[in-house]
Amino acid sequence: MRRNVHPNLSHVGIFVKSIETMEKFYATVFDLAVTDRGTGAVFKNMLVFMSGNPEQHHQLVLSTGRAEGSPSTVMQLSFIVPDLDALRSIRTTALDNGADKMIGLNHGNAWSIYFDDPEQNKVEVYVDTPFHTPQPCGQPLNLDLSNEALLAETEALARSLPGFMPRADYVRMMADRRSK
C-alpha cells in the first residue's frame, strides 16, 4: 500500500541577465543571504544560492543564461511577510532599489503588493488575513489606511463573497482533505 506523499515546494531558480544586479536586489530587498556560489557541473552556468531561512540552504537560485532582450517567463515569485508593517517596509525598500510597476491588491485572504524586479520578473509580497475567500479576488489595496481600517474593509469584502469562512476553518478543512 502506498502512503500519501505531499511534497512541499522549497525553492525556485530563475535565469538572469545580470547576476550581480539581481543578487544585490534580492539581498537588499528581502535580506536573503548568499549561501553558495559557483559554476554548475552539468549546466555550466554561474549560480548564486540565496536563503532567508537558516534551515534551508537555498530558497532562490539565480542562474546566468537569460539572453539580453529576452522577456521574463516568471509569472510571479511570492514572499510572505508577518504583518502589514513589514509589507509597507518591503514596498519602500523595493521602490528604493529599482522595483517598478508597483500595485497593491486586497485578495480577501491576503494583502499583496506586486512589482517588477530589475529584470522585469513579477514579485509578490503578501500577508495572510484572518479570512478565506475563493480566488481569484483582487480589489485595490490602500496601504495608507490604518491596520484597523484595512482589517475592517477586508472583512466586509470577504464576508460579501460566496465561500467566505474564517482562515482557521479553511486551514482545518484543507488539513482534513490532505489526510485522506
Side-chain angles (χ1 to χ4, degrees):
M1 181 170 154
R2 182 173 181 239
R3 69 178 187 94
N4 289 338
V5 177
H6 301 288
N8 289 306
L9 182 64
S10 71
H11 64 270
V12 65
I14 60 172
F15 287 111
V16 300
K17 295 179 253 187
S18 172
I19 204 159
E20 296 84 9
T21 298
M22 298 298 277
E23 176 186 328
K24 182 179 177 190
F25 181 82
Y26 284 95
T28 303
V29 175
F30 295 103
D31 199 26
L32 297 182
V34 173
T35 58
D36 273 313
R37 71 174 70 241
T39 302
V42 175
F43 299 111
K44 305 297 183 202
N45 294 357
M46 174 56 75
L47 302 169
V48 174
F49 299 86
M50 304 182 81
S51 184
N53 181 341
E55 294 185 18
Q56 287 180 263
H57 175 268
H58 57 279
Q59 296 172 295
L60 178 65
V61 182
L62 304 174
S63 173
T64 59
R66 182 171 166 196
E68 197 61 46
S70 65
S72 172
T73 59
V74 174
M75 188 268 191
Q76 68 186 43
L77 300 172
S78 297
F79 293 81
I80 190 169
V81 293
D83 55 43
L84 286 166
D85 290 337
L87 188 64
R88 290 179 183 104
S89 177
I90 290 285
R91 176 183 61 176
T92 300
T93 303
L95 288 169
D96 288 348
N97 284 278
D100 66 354
K101 299 181 184 169
M102 181 75 64
I103 184 171
L105 290 177
N106 185 338
H107 296 295
N109 66 348
W111 296 299
S112 298
I113 56 172
Y114 296 86
F115 53 85
D116 285 356
D117 72 15
E119 292 190 5
Q120 292 74 52
N121 299 296
K122 189 64 68 190
V123 178
E124 175 193 27
V125 184
Y126 71 97
V127 177
D128 284 324
T129 74
F131 316 112
H132 168 75
T133 56
Q135 298 300 306
C137 172
Q139 298 294 317
L141 174 66
N142 181 355
L143 284 175
D144 294 329
L145 293 175
S146 69
N147 291 1
E148 296 76 19
L150 191 50
L151 183 64
E153 178 181 276
T154 303
E155 183 172 7
L157 167 67
R159 288 184 181 279
S160 74
L161 300 170
F164 162 81
M165 67 179 74
R167 176 174 166 67
D169 292 352
Y170 177 77
V171 169
R172 275 192 296 280
M173 181 182 76
M174 289 301 293
D176 289 347
R177 189 167 120 191
R178 286 182 54 96
S179 68
K180 295 180 179 169

